[in-house]
Amino acid sequence: MYRSHTCGELRESDINTKVTLSGWVQKTRDKGFVVWVDLRDRYGITQLVFDEDRTSSKLLEQARSLGREYVVQVTGEVIERTSKNPNIPTGGIEVLVEEVILLNKSKTPPFTIENETDGGEDLRMKYRYLDIRRNPVKNNLIFRSKVSMEVRKYLSDHSFVEVETPYLIKSTPEGARDFVVPSRMNEGQFYALPQSPQTFKQLLMVGGMDKYFQIVKCFRDEDLRADRQPEFTQIDCEMAFVEQEDILDTFEGLTKHLLKEIKGVEISAFPRITYDDAMRIYGNDKPDIRFGMEFGELNAVTQHKDFGVFNSAELVVGIAVPGGASYTRKELDALVNWVKRPQVGAKGMVYVKYNEDGSFKSTVDKFYDQEDLAKWAEITEAKPGDLICVLSGDANKTRTQLSALRMELAERLGLRNPNEFAPLWVIDFPLLELDEETGNYHAMHHPFTSPKPGQLELLETDPGAVRANAYDLVLNGNEIGGGSIRIHDREVQSTMFKHLGFTPEEAQAQFGFLMDAFQYGAPPHGGIAFGLDRLVSILGGQETIRDFIAFPKNNSGRDVMIDAPAAIDQEQLNELKLKLDIEA
Ligand code: ASP
């Protein structure tokens, strides 16, 4: 028996008990006549004591020889500590050691295994197994497990069945590139790893499973943006005989369950906003509604004067920044430069100080009088003491730029409180999205999403105007889930493919299996998928999803611990009949 208790378990009520513990040596303090060792395992830290009066000199010597991260088993008696440590649960006791068994030695770890470590990101990733011994990482993984358990609990309580779908499949169109796997047995052919189990979960509905879920890995070969992982986890769900309302209801329930069980917060009905309104009011289809700073459209109150920049703009739009009237000239210049950075891309910014005395001072006083500026304040809901920031130009671009500014300022002003949770549904997404570069339309969600009733005809005349039965669940400015009611009719699905630029042959070759299945009594169905990594990190009140993944990849998609991806040897290439065409 390696242990009778864990290192986080013993209390003053255990005094006089004989115990055996196993764990890692966190630290040794040698005072000469007495040696203390902090022994750590997943559950906590227990102090071990060896002293001249009560411990043999051999044992004392043995204690002194223990290095950091040595793995030991100790047996001894629980005694009361003379100087108690109120900061840890075991702080009232220590174990007077009678026997030490060295289970394994350790090299000196490359960074300190403590809450605050001296190890940089790269080093911690290379030795991730040591990083996982640290409380912050360990606790995040335990937290993630707890969230997954609650998800399983809620969904199975609501009659969902967890079904596994294959990883070696054919392309699923979620808009990214596929990772591919060569098939040795089928020369020259490749599997694709699923970007999601989308087609399979729909086939499960045709198969009559009625309610499906899976906590599942998905793979997308995208150019890595910050905090994206090439493999990530979804809570993937599908239901038959449902309308949008049923899905929103069920998964609002799941989200509430998680917020209540995990965070202890109760939230009433989630607000809903259409995609168009989200774009108009927040310039963003995943608005953070923990704070206001809503957009005020100013065309009508700006385009009647001689200010050419505004007059030629498709959209003039502003936000009120709480307390911003007190910004110094230097701070304001910095803000203008911030919106002009290539990442944001604004050409410039007009601003108005709404002074505490009710007067206005703007960068465009030459064109606009106090009465004009008062109207801007009214529309942006600015109060005395605020700053009004105004951008103008092409409507879509300007909205995106102002949204970036809104989020940045909210961050700086501390308005994005990680302990506040503001979920909402964004509904009525466009079915199609215009690719600016190619001029082609592609599915905004995916090609299996159904258009809103009665809008199929619009596909011919005004494809961009067609709205979909598609919805996103947004939490604190992040999309945590998205889904749609699907097409379940073969004819409609082929029309959809036609509009997406597939020839009938291409559609049949890629998705014939699904369209064939639709001919055998496919029920109306729909679903949603949540990004588990992101959901867990938001619930955990942290920004980066990497911190909640046991073995994440870095920003270049590499696992630096196992050193993957890596070249494969010639023999393996030969077996796969693959020839590489790259310079060595
Ligand atoms: N498969 C979709 C996705 O990965 C989710 C869904 O439509 O259910 O975004």
Side-chain angles (χ1 to χ4, degrees), residues 174 195-198 201 220 234 236-238 445-446 449 479 482-484 486 527-529:
E174 298 279 1
Q195 292 183 35
S196 82
Q198 184 61 37
K201 65 174 172 176
R220 295 185 191 176
Q234 281 190 346
D236 190 44
C237 310
E238 195 77 5
H445 188 49
H446 52 55
T449 297
E479 179 207 324
S484 60
R486 326 299 183 189
I528 191 167

Side-chain angles (χ1 to χ4, degrees), residues 244 427-432 445 449-452 455 465-471 484-485:
Q244 174 165 307
I427 57 173
D428 297 353
F429 273 82
L431 184 69
L432 304 172
H445 188 49
T449 297
S450 65
K452 289 236 157 244
Q455 300 220 326
V466 181
R467 288 296 176 263
N469 279 319
Y471 31 79
S484 60
I485 298 297

Side-chain angles (χ1 to χ4, degrees), residues 88-310:
I88 60 170
T90 61
I93 56 96
E94 56 193 356
V95 173
L96 179 64
V97 177
E98 289 153 21
E99 191 192 0
V100 176
I101 299 172
L102 181 63
L103 299 174
N104 212 342
K105 288 193 186 182
S106 171
K107 286 171 73 171
T108 305
F111 50 84
T112 53
I113 316 277
E114 282 168 24
N115 289 3
E116 297 292 333
T117 179
D118 54 359
E121 174 91 6
D122 289 347
L123 201 58
R124 292 198 293 111
M125 288 303 152
K126 183 157 194 287
Y127 297 93
R128 185 63 161 174
Y129 45 89
L130 296 179
D131 203 23
I132 291 172
R133 287 186 197 163
R134 296 171 51 239
N135 281 328
V137 185
K138 176 195 78 188
N139 289 339
N140 282 355
L141 295 182
I142 295 171
F143 182 76
R144 181 186 177 112
S145 165
K146 190 169 164 210
V147 174
S148 300
M149 293 299 177
E150 287 300 336
V151 168
R152 288 205 161 88
K153 187 155 158 252
Y154 177 89
L155 291 175
S156 37
D157 283 351
H158 287 76
S159 305
F160 282 79
V161 177
E162 186 163 20
V163 183
E164 289 166 77
T165 52
Y167 282 155
L168 296 176
I169 65 164
K170 207 153 88 163
S171 188
T172 24
E174 298 279 1
R177 285 194 192 82
D178 292 319
F179 281 102
V180 294
V181 179
S183 165
R184 181 182 54 81
M185 289 194 289
N186 302 273
E187 206 173 288
Q189 296 190 325
F190 296 81
Y191 299 101
L193 298 179
Q195 292 183 35
S196 82
Q198 184 61 37
T199 50
F200 288 96
K201 65 174 172 176
Q202 293 192 239
L203 292 169
L204 286 169
M205 294 305 105
V206 181
M209 279 314 296
D210 203 67
K211 288 177 173 178
Y212 142 93
F213 88 102
Q214 185 181 192
I215 296 186
V216 62
K217 274 292 175 71
C218 300
F219 306 86
R220 295 185 191 176
D221 188 4
E222 288 175 295
D223 294 331
L224 295 178
R225 278 182 265 154
D227 210 28
R228 285 266 185 142
Q229 290 282 315
E231 57 174 304
F232 60 96
T233 307
Q234 281 190 346
I235 308 164
D236 190 44
C237 310
E238 195 77 5
M239 302 168 82
F241 302 111
V242 286
E243 294 174 336
Q244 174 165 307
E245 200 53 41
D246 302 304
I247 304 264
L248 300 194
D249 196 51
T250 304
F251 293 97
E252 186 161 319
L254 169 64
T255 312
K256 282 181 183 166
H257 174 81
L258 295 176
L259 285 168
K260 178 151 177 271
E261 295 304 317
I262 306 277
K263 304 303 293 186
V265 278
E266 299 211 36
I267 291 184
S268 49
F270 296 2
R272 294 180 190 184
I273 185 173
T274 63
Y275 170 87
D276 289 338
D277 282 346
M279 296 309 288
R280 195 171 47 75
I281 302 173
Y282 302 101
N284 199 318
D285 62 3
K286 36 179 197 292
D288 190 337
I289 56 166
R290 283 174 295 182
F291 55 95
M293 294 169 78
E294 294 180 4
F295 287 15
E297 294 191 0
L298 303 172
N299 292 42
V301 293
T302 53
Q303 293 181 325
H304 60 301
K305 293 285 173 74
D306 288 334
F307 188 43
V309 175
F310 283 177

